[in-house]
Structures are given as C-alpha cells and as structure tokens.
C-alpha cells in the first residue's frame, strides 16, 4: 500500500499575490504595477500575472472586497453589495455636494489642465476663485506650476483622487471632448434652423 | 438653458424669443445697435421674479450671452474706436461668440458626463487617506572592504601631531619690573630720557617699559614731555612739575 510521496509546493505567483494583497491593504491610494514591483521586489510581468489572479479572486459577487484598476493603479474597494452598509458607517465628503460650477471647473481642469484660474474663468464666463478653492480643499485638483507669462498665474491639474472618485483608470478614460457638446458650426446651424422655423 | 433661450422679448426692434434675436444678430439681419439690451435684462429679471426661484445656471448663461451681445453692440456703435483698438470686427465678434459658446457647451457636456459618472459611482466605497508612505530609498553604497574601514578608523584613532607654538614664544617681562626701575632712576635723577633708558632692550621689553611709564603717569608719579611726535620722551618727577607751576603762580 505504498503510495508515492507528492510534494505540494506553493505556487510562486500565488505567494506573490499574497504579498500584493498585503501591499494593497496597507496602501491608502492606488498602487501602480511599477510601485508594486518595487515594493515586492519582483518583475512587472509577474506582478501583472498575480494581479490577474487577484482580480478574479476579488470581484463583485465573489468577495466583499473588490480589486479595481483605477487612477493609474490598483486598489481595493468595498463591493457594491456592501455599499449600503458602508454608507451607514462612512460619509463621502469628497464628492458630496459638488455643484454644477465645481463639475464644470473639474471638467475644464481635467481636459485642459494644467490650466490657470483666468483660463477657467474665460471659459466659464465667471470668476473661478471660490470654485477652485473648494476643489483644492476636497483634494480633487492640485497646483501644477505656474504660467510662463507675466504674473505667472498658478496652474492646476486633477489629482489621482479625482480619477478614483469618478472611477477612471486615468484621464485617458474621459470621453473625447469633440464628442461632447456642439461645435461652433453646429450651434450656428441650430440657431439658423430655429430662426428659419420661427420665421416660416 | 431653455429658460434663457426661450425668454420672450418685446422690444422696439424685435419681438420674439431670445434665441431668435441671437440668430438674427449672428446672421447680421438685425443691427446690434438697434437692440435695447437693457430691456432684455429687465425681461430676464422679470422672468426670474415670476418663477420665484434663483436659477444660478441660467443667470450665468444669460450673463455670458448678454455680455457678448453688449460687446457686439458697443463695437457697432463705436466702429472707429474698435478699429483703433485693433479689435474684432462685429462679424468676427459674432464668430467668436459662437466659438466661445461651443467651447463652453463642450465643457458643460463634459460636466454632465462627470455628473452621470459620479452617480454611477455611489456604490463604490474605498479608503481615502493621506498619501501613502513611500519607502525611503536607502542610499546605495558600493561594496566596501572592511580592512579599508579599519584603516580609516586607525587613522582617526592616532593622536594628532603636536602643534608647534614656537611662534608664540614671546616673553613679556612684568610691568612691575620697569615700575621699580623707573622709580629708582627718578630717585637718583630728577628727569631722564625714556629712549636712552630703554635703548638696548628688545622691542617687547621696550613696549612693556612704555606701559610702565603710562602707569606711572596715571598714578601721578611722573610727568611726561614730548616736544613733537616721535621726539624723545622726557620723564620727570611729578612734584618738580607741580613745584614749577607753584613758582609760576606765586610769581
């Protein structure tokens, strides 16, 4: 009844996945593949393999924790089915009460940033001082140098928190600006058609 | 937006909704100079008062539009000034207005997309904290030979070479020595010549002798005379000086 001995060895990628789990648990912001590779002292390709393993393990419907690719990195979040319970325990101060002006300013900074307050004001037609200050306080935008011209107005860019709050993998995930709103020609055309309709 | 564009207007030059007015101005079928901008503002404010609610978005949009219209009107009214300022022509200004509106509309579209996106993220809860603590990069040193380190330490442990103080080997004779000497000289003579008295002494000894002389002058034991700078210093007993003064006064 001699049975051959079978050595059970831990899958090395599985071990790496456990390390990545630990790193993501202690991180308060998404970690990029490079950051994970550096911290785990491993190469990027194996990190991505391990992340694939974890993405399957931590997904909606399977776990209360979900691994997501967001803001240029990977991070854990609560599963959607636990959202109600989370909502009873935590507030969402960053995105709570974002005004229309704040969202328009965020859009401008997100698409055109780094850009200065005068540039934002020119586009929106109103002063942007208080809106910019509010977004800075929420951590959705941050300073990003100064204009080269005279006066050197402070320029702003969106932060990783912005991408995370809006669930974006990066700014590249924003829709094309040309697909939003109307072009100048379209506006003229529409106004003309309205005019024709009215005068007819 | 609709509230602004559908704003009904009843002006001298135009009757109809605001968007039609804009269209006619853009098509240059209506002179901006003929448009009563103040009446448009009054109509808008009346509309706001009727609705009994402050629609900030509509107000903002209205302000942009009315400002552009006002700019067009101003350029039409003062063409020469506009030319002087090398500014836009009314036609170009109209195009600029359309361009700005288009730019703003795209940003409004982007904001609407963000709003929708945010609404879809309500069930996403995640930890928000301060920036993660980046591991401090350790300073990388090239591999070192322990013997070299020991040699460096040995060099440090060696007592430093004795510093030569030979240049400080000046001997200063005590001032008291010269005090006694000068008192003794004045005991024998009523006056003496300082330079003659210290000739043959070293410069240091001469300096100390001079200090002693000053000390005697301070205590009133001697009187000093020097006819000119660098002339010989004549030292005499103080009482002889005072005696001479008395003689002069009594005379």
């Amino acid at each position: 009844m001699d049975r051959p001995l079978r050595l059970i060895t831990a899958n090395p990628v599985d071990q790496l996945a456990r390390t990545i789990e630990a790193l993501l648990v202690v991180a308060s912001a998404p970690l990029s593949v490079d950051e994970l590779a550096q911290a785990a002292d491993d190469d990027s390709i194996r990190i991505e393999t391990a992340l694939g393993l974890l993405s399957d393990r931590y997904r909606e419907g399977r776990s209360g924790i979900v691994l997501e690719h967001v803001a240029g990195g990977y991070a854990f979040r609560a599963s959607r089915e636990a959202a109600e319970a989370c909502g009873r325990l935590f507030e969402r101060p960053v995105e709570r009460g974002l005004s229309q002006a704040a969202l328009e300013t965020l859009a401008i900074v997100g698409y055109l940033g780094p850009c200065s307050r005068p540039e934002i004001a020119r586009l929106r037609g109103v002063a942007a001082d208080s809106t910019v200050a509010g977004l800075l306080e929420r951590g959705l935008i941050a300073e990003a140098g100064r204009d080269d011209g005279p006066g050197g107005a402070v320029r702003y860019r969106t932060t990783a928190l912005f991408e995370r709050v809006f669930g974006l993998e990066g700014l590249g995930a924003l829709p094309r600006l040309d697909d939003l709103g109307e072009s100048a020609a379209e506006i003229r055309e529409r106004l003309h058609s309205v005019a024709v309709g009215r005068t007819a | 937006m609709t509230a602004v564009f559908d704003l009904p207007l009843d002006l001298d030059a135009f009757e109809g909704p605001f968007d039609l007015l804009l269209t006619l101005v853009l098509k240059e079928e209506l002179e901006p100079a003929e448009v009563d901008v103040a009446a448009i503002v009054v109509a808008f404010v009346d509309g706001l008062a009727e609705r009994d609610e402050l629609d900030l978005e509509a107000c903002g949009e209205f302000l942009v539009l009315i400002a552009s219209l006002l700019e067009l009107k101003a350029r039409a009214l003062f063409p020469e000034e506009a030319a002087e300022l090398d500014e836009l022509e009314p036609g170009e200004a109209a195009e600029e207005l359309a361009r700005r509106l288009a730019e703003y509309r795209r940003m409004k579209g982007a904001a609407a997309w963000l709003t929708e996106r945010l609404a879809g993220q309500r069930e996403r809860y995640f930890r928000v904290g301060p920036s993660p603590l980046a591991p401090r990069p350790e300073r990388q040193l090239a591999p070192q030979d322990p013997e070299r380190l020991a040699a460096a330490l040995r060099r440090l442990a060696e007592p430093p070479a004795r510093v030569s103080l030979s240049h400080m080997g000046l001997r200063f004779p005590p001032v008291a020595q010269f005090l006694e000497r000068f008192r003794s000289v004045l005991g024998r003579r009523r006056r003496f010549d300082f330079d003659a008295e210290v000739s043959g002494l070293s410069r240091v000894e001469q300096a100390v002798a001079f200090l002693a002389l000053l000390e005697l002058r301070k205590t009133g034991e001697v009187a000093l005379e020097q006819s000119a700078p660098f002339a010989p210093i004549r030292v005499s007993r103080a009482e002889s000086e005072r005696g001479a003064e008395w003689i002069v006064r009594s005379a």
Side-chain angles (χ1 to χ4, degrees), chain A residues 20-67:
Chain A
I20 293 173
E21 275 178 346
L23 291 170
L24 293 176
V25 161
V26 296
S28 56
L31 295 176
S32 67
V33 171
D34 285 346
E35 285 170 325
L36 287 168
Q38 199 180 352
D41 195 20
D42 217 309
D43 69 85
S44 304
I45 295 168
R46 275 168 49 82
I47 293 287
E48 282 174 3
T49 308
L51 281 168
L53 206 70
L54 291 174
S55 297
D56 185 55
R57 195 178 300 165
Y58 295 105
R59 59 181 156 84
E60 295 284 357
R62 185 172 176 184
S63 167
I65 300 168
V66 173
L67 180 65

Side-chain angles (χ1 to χ4, degrees), chain B residues 160-175:
Chain B
R162 188 173 293 278
V163 178
S164 168
L165 298 173
S166 59
H167 65 287
M168 296 179 72
L170 296 175
R171 284 179 299 167
F172 292 91
V175 175

Side-chain angles (χ1 to χ4, degrees), chain B residues 15-250:
Chain B
E15 187 178 346
F18 190 39
D19 59 350
L20 179 57
L21 173 76
L22 281 176
T23 308
L24 293 175
V25 170
L26 283 170
K27 288 173 75 177
E28 296 178 26
E29 288 180 15
L30 180 65
E31 279 296 318
E34 292 173 15
V35 178
D36 186 353
V37 178
I40 300 173
V41 175
V42 170
F44 180 72
V45 173
D46 282 345
L48 276 183
E50 275 175 22
R51 279 201 301 278
D52 202 26
E53 63 172 347
L54 187 59
D55 185 351
L56 285 176
E57 192 186 340
C59 289
E61 192 137 36
F62 178 77
L63 274 176
V64 172
L65 290 171
I66 207 73
S68 304
L69 195 60
L70 200 59
E71 192 178 352
L72 286 175
K73 183 174 176 176
R75 286 181 204 288
L77 287 172
F78 306 103
E80 286 177 11
E81 240 179 80
E84 272 177 22
L85 293 169
D86 196 22
E87 296 277 348
L88 300 173
E89 292 300 311
E92 290 171 335
E95 192 55 47
E96 176 67 13
L97 169 67
R99 194 188 64 74
R100 282 193 190 181
L101 271 174
E103 209 171 20
Y104 178 56
R105 277 188 154 271
R106 275 198 289 272
M107 285 306 161
K108 271 184 78 73
W113 185 87
L114 285 177
T115 308
E116 201 177 316
R117 181 85 187 173
L118 194 60
Q121 306 299 315
R122 286 216 179 97
E123 293 179 344
R124 276 177 68 252
Y125 277 85
F126 51 86
R127 186 188 304 168
V128 179
S131 300
L133 295 172
R136 286 184 180 278
E138 288 181 19
R139 184 174 290 176
Q140 298 291 324
L141 289 174
Q144 298 293 321
D145 179 13
E147 276 305 316
R148 285 187 60 197
L149 178 64
L153 284 172
R154 268 197 295 276
R155 276 201 300 278
L156 283 174
E158 282 173 9
R162 188 173 293 278
V163 178
S164 168
L165 298 173
S166 59
H167 65 287
M168 296 179 72
L170 296 175
R171 284 179 299 167
F172 292 91
V175 175
Q177 178 188 322
F178 287 98
L179 288 174
E180 291 307 313
R181 179 170 167 173
F182 292 152
R183 281 180 186 134
S184 160
V185 171
L186 287 173
R188 293 193 302 273
R189 289 184 280 164
R190 293 186 62 178
R191 62 183 60 188
F192 67 88
D193 190 86
F194 176 76
D195 295 80
E197 189 62 33
V198 299
S199 68
L201 299 178
S202 70
R203 283 179 66 82
V204 172
E205 287 170 325
Q206 286 185 2
V208 175
F210 186 70
L211 286 174
L213 197 63
L214 293 176
E215 184 66 20
L216 289 171
R217 175 69 183 82
K218 194 171 78 178
T219 54
E221 292 180 57
V222 298
L224 304 176
E225 289 172 50
Q226 189 176 31
S227 56
F230 304 108
I233 300 170
R234 301 196 66 193
V235 185
S236 54
R237 286 186 210 149
E239 56 265 27
S240 65
E241 198 177 49
R242 281 200 292 272
E245 278 177 12
W246 182 83
I247 291 164
V248 171
R249 280 183 195 166
S250 61

